[in-house]
Amino acid sequence: KPTTPPAAAITVTSKPTPTMAPIKVVNYQLGIDISEFQGNIDWKKVKADGIEFAFIRCGGRGYSKGGLYEDKKFAQNVKNAKAAGVKVGAYFFSQAITVEEAIEEASLTLAMVNGYGMDLPVVMDWETGSGYRTQVLKGQNFANVLDAYCSMIAQNGYTPCVYLCSDDINNRLGKYSGQILGKYKLWYAYPYSCYWKSSSSYKSNYYQTGDTIPPRSFSYEYWQYSWHGKVAGISTEVDLNIRILGNTTLKAPEINITNKAPTTSVGRDFNPMDGVTAKTSQGVSTTKDLTYALTNASGQAVSLDQAKQTIGKYLITYTFKDPFRGTITDTAGW
């Protein structure tokens, strides 16, 4: 990919909710995307560093003159990544501005990936920016170009996917976005600056459980959250991604408390978690990562056993850590 990404996708002010400690969950995977510019990669170290998948560039088109090229390290990277147990997909850096060029790019992509067995989608990585030949493409013509590439990929037995940023979706595709996002998987480019190497606002450059993801009205399976990652086994900076295994059209998580004002006698057994559940941003009811704390009328923390033996009013503060939307709280008065 170009060393300077399109300006339309760069300015991001969102910040994640830091996690107190990593918690292993099964609804996302860490990944990267790479090209020959990452040099020779030690894929065993990449895998050991927690990376489970990689999108590997197979080729592209020049963003000024439009010439086609193959990525010189595609075959090497695919073979070594798969041997290390990293799942692979392929992407083509697209500068197509006509249906004919999209078909030409799809043909080269198919020739490059043939025989390797892709674990993940084959992606049309369409990009634009100041000075790019693709600046002219918008609306129905843009949708036709994306559709031409992806439909050819699908016809040859692979899962097609498009790589797009917010400007591509909202302004270039506009009212035609549903035509594309309703048919093909989306790899969403929306990096958070707090994951950049130079950032001091976050302790890790990897996404962790409880960090937020961009809430959008459209779904996306892959999210590129950093252009400045550091991964073991790779000497250069590398793009970081997560694969979200579930719905990304997220709602606000909730804590559901059946009784907001319970009353009990001194010494009576009482469990603050009875009748309390959480609903995740993906709409799943759960008690996982749902906790509570007790404070007395003076605001001092007390144990459950202490509170059960002492007459008084207590505040129960419930905390839920959602896998994608961060931490929320709610309270009840006991």
Side-chain angles (χ1 to χ4, degrees):
K1 295 184 180 179
T3 54
T4 303
I10 290 178
T11 304
V12 177
T13 57
S14 304
K15 294 183 179 180
T17 303
T19 312
M20 295 304 293
I23 301 172
K24 185 173 179 59
V25 297
V26 296
N27 51 4
Y28 74 87
Q29 298 172 337
L30 296 176
I32 56 175
D33 59 273
I34 59 97
S35 70
E36 64 186 50
F37 297 114
Q38 271 65 55
N40 292 318
I41 296 173
D42 188 331
W43 284 98
K44 290 182 179 179
K45 288 184 178 179
V46 170
K47 173 67 173 177
D49 206 22
I51 299 301
E52 298 185 63
F53 71 90
F55 283 115
I56 300 172
R57 191 182 71 168
C58 62
R61 185 187 293 273
Y63 62 89
S64 57
K65 296 182 180 180
L68 295 173
Y69 57 84
E70 298 179 2
D71 191 296
K72 299 180 181 64
K73 291 189 179 294
F74 175 71
Q76 171 184 313
N77 280 321
V78 170
K79 291 175 183 177
N80 292 344
K82 290 175 77 72
V86 177
K87 294 182 179 180
V88 301
Y91 74 89
F92 186 95
F93 177 76
S94 173
Q95 289 290 286
I97 56 176
T98 66
V99 166
E100 290 75 19
E101 286 188 347
I103 293 173
E104 186 179 37
E105 291 179 357
S107 298
L108 179 55
T109 300
L110 291 167
M112 292 293 292
V113 303
N114 183 44
Y116 289 111
M118 295 291 104
D119 306 300
L120 304 177
V122 173
V123 184
M124 186 183 198
D125 171 19
W126 191 94
E127 300 187 26
T128 195
S130 178
Y132 284 47
R133 70 197 303 269
T134 46
Q135 281 280 31
V136 300
L137 199 60
K138 293 182 179 180
Q140 183 68 72
N141 291 334
F142 185 22
N144 290 343
V145 164
L146 297 174
D147 197 34
Y149 180 97
C150 290
S151 61
M152 188 169 178
I153 295 299
Q155 289 166 12
N156 284 270
Y158 299 94
T159 300
C161 178
V162 289
Y163 170 97
L164 299 170
C165 69
S166 296
D167 184 63
D168 299 333
I169 296 168
N170 298 327
N171 300 322
R172 289 192 173 273
L173 277 175
K175 66 179 182 180
Y176 300 100
S177 61
Q179 176 181 331
I180 299 302
L181 302 186
K183 293 173 64 176
Y184 306 116
K185 289 183 180 294
L186 172 63
W187 177 10
Y188 185 40
Y190 194 81
Y192 282 175
S193 60
C194 54
Y195 293 110
W196 295 4
K197 183 181 178 182
S198 60
S199 173
S200 60
S201 63
Y202 197 56
K203 65 182 179 181
S204 170
N205 70 339
Y206 278 2
Y207 178 92
Q208 297 184 50
T209 301
D211 294 358
T212 59
I213 70 169
R216 295 293 180 263
S217 59
F218 49 81
S219 291
Y220 50 95
E221 184 171 340
Y222 301 91
W223 172 38
Q224 187 182 73
Y225 64 89
S226 175
W227 288 328
H228 300 279
K230 286 297 293 180
V231 174
I234 301 178
S235 60
T236 67
E237 288 188 339
V238 64
D239 298 339
L240 300 177
N241 302 270
I242 62 169
R243 181 186 185 186
I244 303 161
L245 306 177
N247 183 24
T248 59
T249 307
L250 302 177
K251 299 179 180 179
E254 303 173 359
I255 298 175
N256 301 310
I257 305 171
T258 302
N259 187 354
K260 296 276 285 188
T263 301
T264 63
S265 303
V266 172
R268 178 185 169 186
D269 191 34
F270 173 66
N271 183 356
M273 296 300 292
D274 286 345
V276 181
T277 60
K279 182 178 285 187
T280 72
S281 55
Q282 295 181 307
V284 178
S285 293
T286 182
T287 56
K288 177 179 170 59
D289 296 324
L290 177 61
T291 60
Y292 74 89
L294 291 169
T295 51
N296 61 22
S298 300
Q300 297 174 317
V302 296
S303 69
L304 179 59
D305 286 339
Q306 289 173 329
K308 285 192 295 186
Q309 302 301 324
T310 307
I311 293 176
K313 293 183 178 181
Y314 298 91
L315 181 70
I316 311 173
T317 300
Y318 295 95
T319 301
F320 173 63
K321 188 182 296 178
D322 184 78
F324 298 117
R325 297 306 305 143
T327 299
I328 61 170
T329 60
D330 199 356
T331 60
W334 176 23

